[in-house]
Amino acid sequence: MRHTKSPCPVSGKCGSCQYLHLSYQEQLKAKQNTLSALLKGLCPLRGMIGMDNPYHYRNKVHAVFGCDRRGKPVSGIYEANSHRIVPVESCLIEDEKADEIIGTVRRLLPSFKIRNYDEDTGYGLLRHVLVKRGFSTGEIMVVLVTASPVFPSKNNFVKALLKEHPDITTIIQNINGRGTSMVLGEKEHTLYGPGYIEDVLCSCTFRISSKSFYQVNPVQTEILYGKALEMAGLTGKETVIDAYCGIGTIGIIASKKAKEVIGIELNPDAVRDAVQNARRNSVNNIRFYCNDAGRFMTEMARRKGKADVVIMDPPRTGSTKAFMDSIAALEPERVIYISCGPDTLARDLRYMKTLGYHAREGWGVDLFPWTGSIETVCLLSK
Ligand code: SAH
């Protein structure tokens, strides 16, 4: 069946959703075909798990505030591969509440004489608005990214925003004075609330700050993590490594069914959140290390360390030979490979095979409906 909702009005320009011309069932089929072609001879693919309602699943929404060529204020998203802003009011995949809040910010600006930042002249204040919503808790964070720390009438602006959206639980001013394409700057002040939100995933509570990585589709993430843990087959006696652990989500969930968990993550902000998250969930059998995953594992292998299960969730670029060689030395019974880059997954599974680890089954979990991105979880064993 063809997708019958009115198509996205900015689909030609935005470039986020490559599959708008397909029905959702056709998208799942297309992703399954791509994945099984890549994994052919490497891993039997069991299926592609889709969403019941593949709309408005994104819990994190970002809008750029800027000016067009004539200096008129616009907000929306960057046009694919450019710095031109495409005006967007609503979106098929973004959280609707977040889009509403961004719309309110847009409407309130003139009465507070707040100007959008102009990249060409460097004049103006507001550069980006980022909204994150905890789908289970209902908590909402609004981050106002400004070009300078001076934010005239900020208290009244915050009051007006809260009056229209009393369900906002925290508002942050982030200062990004640099001419980079990074959304967030280093410095920030909390203008309202605790400065973070919490969300619940697989019965554990996680603190999310403005900068830390958190999966954008929590509904499907629960399914993905559920599959990963099912594959891990934990009984309570295992030493588990959660490599590329982010804010510790998978490791903390796994810790309830393992003897001990070691989390490894390169980003110090994420590690700080992970430590807090372990405490928040009264988990005492997990330790986090801020290190390159490959370097940590090499060192652990050199010291003749052992692990029963390795869960790895590397970025799109995949893992490294140093990391995978160390897996072979640590001799875990099972390896769970979670991937958001099917090409690098295929490359790494091919290498793992030469080390004697064979992929037994794989599942696609559709974390990104309407887009071409593919998320996969695979079980490997000796
Ligand atoms: N497992 C987490 C995060 C996955 S995203 C979750 O499900 O939420 C991948 C993570 O790998 C990011 O947090 C990134 O900071 C981290 N990372 C990237 N390169 C790394 C490296 N070389 N060593 C360790 N962690 C790395």
Side-chain angles (χ1 to χ4, degrees):
M1 217 184 65
R2 290 267 138 188
H3 153 62
T4 49
K5 268 204 161 182
S6 64
C8 170
V10 294
S11 61
K13 289 182 170 166
C14 163
S16 286
C17 297
Q18 296 87 356
Y19 282 175
L20 284 168
H21 60 293
L22 299 179
S23 75
Y24 189 51
Q25 287 313 314
E26 288 168 340
Q27 293 173 39
L28 293 174
K29 194 93 206 105
K31 289 187 185 185
Q32 170 137 1
N33 290 344
T34 306
L35 195 55
S36 46
L38 280 167
L39 299 186
K40 196 160 179 237
L42 288 169
C43 176
L45 185 62
R46 299 268 184 251
M48 174 67 63
I49 306 171
M51 294 188 84
D52 291 338
N53 174 12
Y55 298 97
H56 306 296
Y57 59 83
R58 276 191 72 98
N59 59 6
K60 180 175 100 175
V61 176
H62 162 228
V64 196
F65 281 67
C67 298
D68 67 12
R69 256 169 301 170
R70 271 168 267 133
K72 265 186 57 191
V74 276
S75 68
I77 40 157
Y78 284 124
E79 194 171 325
N81 310 317
S82 98
H83 259 217
R84 250 190 319 266
I85 300 167
V86 184
V88 174
E89 301 244 341
S90 67
C91 163
L92 286 182
I93 66 173
E94 289 171 356
D95 178 50
E96 287 175 294
K97 183 81 205 175
D99 279 343
E100 252 176 61
I101 292 170
I102 290 166
T104 304
V105 170
R106 192 168 22 230
R107 264 187 300 105
L108 288 175
L109 293 176
S111 47
F112 291 88
K113 304 208 164 42
I114 300 169
R115 304 232 177 161
N116 288 9
Y117 180 73
D118 187 329
E119 275 192 342
D120 294 332
T121 62
Y123 188 72
L125 183 67
L126 190 63
R127 298 186 73 161
H128 305 271
V129 176
L130 183 71
V131 179
K132 295 187 183 190
R133 190 160 83 86
F135 279 13
S136 318
T137 58
E139 295 181 6
I140 299 173
M141 168 193 291
V142 178
V143 186
L144 304 165
V145 184
T146 60
S148 91
V150 187
F151 186 165
S153 64
K154 72 177 168 214
N155 292 338
N156 287 333
F157 182 75
V158 163
K159 253 191 227 154
L161 187 56
L162 286 169
K163 189 159 175 249
E164 292 215 28
H165 299 283
D167 34 5
I168 293 173
T169 53
T170 194
I171 302 178
I172 294 164
Q173 178 191 2
N174 177 289
I175 298 128
N176 188 353
R178 292 169 306 175
T180 70
S181 55
M182 297 279 287
V183 174
L184 297 177
E186 283 286 310
K187 272 209 191 119
E188 55 185 38
H189 315 291
T190 302
L191 304 179
Y192 173 77
Y196 59 85
I197 55 166
E198 289 187 334
D199 199 19
V200 178
L201 219 48
C202 303
S203 314
C204 292
T205 304
F206 298 101
R207 172 190 287 208
I208 303 153
S209 54
S210 66
K211 291 176 200 162
S212 51
F213 174 90
Y214 185 64
Q215 292 285 4
V216 296
N217 183 338
V219 173
Q220 292 297 89
T221 298
E222 280 204 321
I223 295 174
L224 177 74
Y225 289 176
K227 269 271 169 266
L229 287 184
E230 191 185 304
M231 288 172 169
L234 300 176
T235 63
K237 297 193 192 115
E238 295 83 3
T239 297
V240 178
I241 291 176
D242 176 11
Y244 311 90
C245 69
I247 61 166
T249 42
I250 300 172
I252 288 170
I253 295 163
S255 70
K256 315 264 176 183
K257 290 184 187 153
K259 188 176 102 201
E260 56 172 354
V261 182
I262 297 164
I264 314 155
E265 165 60 48
L266 195 56
N267 173 352
D269 284 325
V271 174
R272 213 167 302 131
D273 281 350
V275 171
Q276 283 279 354
N277 283 331
R279 217 172 284 150
R280 176 73 179 74
N281 292 283
S282 314
V283 168
N284 300 315
N285 58 344
I286 191 163
R287 273 167 301 151
F288 292 101
Y289 296 90
C290 187
N291 203 339
D292 169 74
R295 196 178 318 136
F296 181 92
M297 291 282 279
T298 308
E299 181 59 23
M300 192 171 165
R302 201 181 59 77
R303 295 183 183 199
K304 308 256 178 290
K306 287 283 167 250
D308 302 296
V309 176
V310 172
I311 302 174
M312 55 194 284
D313 185 7
R316 202 161 299 198
T317 46
S319 193
T320 59
K321 285 192 172 162
F323 184 92
M324 293 184 279
D325 288 338
S326 313
I327 292 186
L330 295 172
E331 294 187 301
E333 211 167 285
R334 288 154 183 256
V335 176
I336 319 298
Y337 192 138
I338 301 176
S339 155
C340 57
D343 298 293
T344 53
L345 171 67
R347 180 199 68 197
D348 291 350
L349 290 185
R350 200 163 286 125
Y351 187 68
M352 288 295 286
K353 210 168 163 179
T354 68
L355 300 172
Y357 277 87
H358 295 260
R360 309 295 170 183
E361 63 168 317
W363 284 89
V365 180
D366 192 24
L367 248 53
F368 312 104
W370 308 101
T371 79
S373 300
I374 300 177
E375 187 86 11
T376 316
V377 53
C378 293
L379 168 66
L380 294 82
S381 62
K382 272 207 141 171

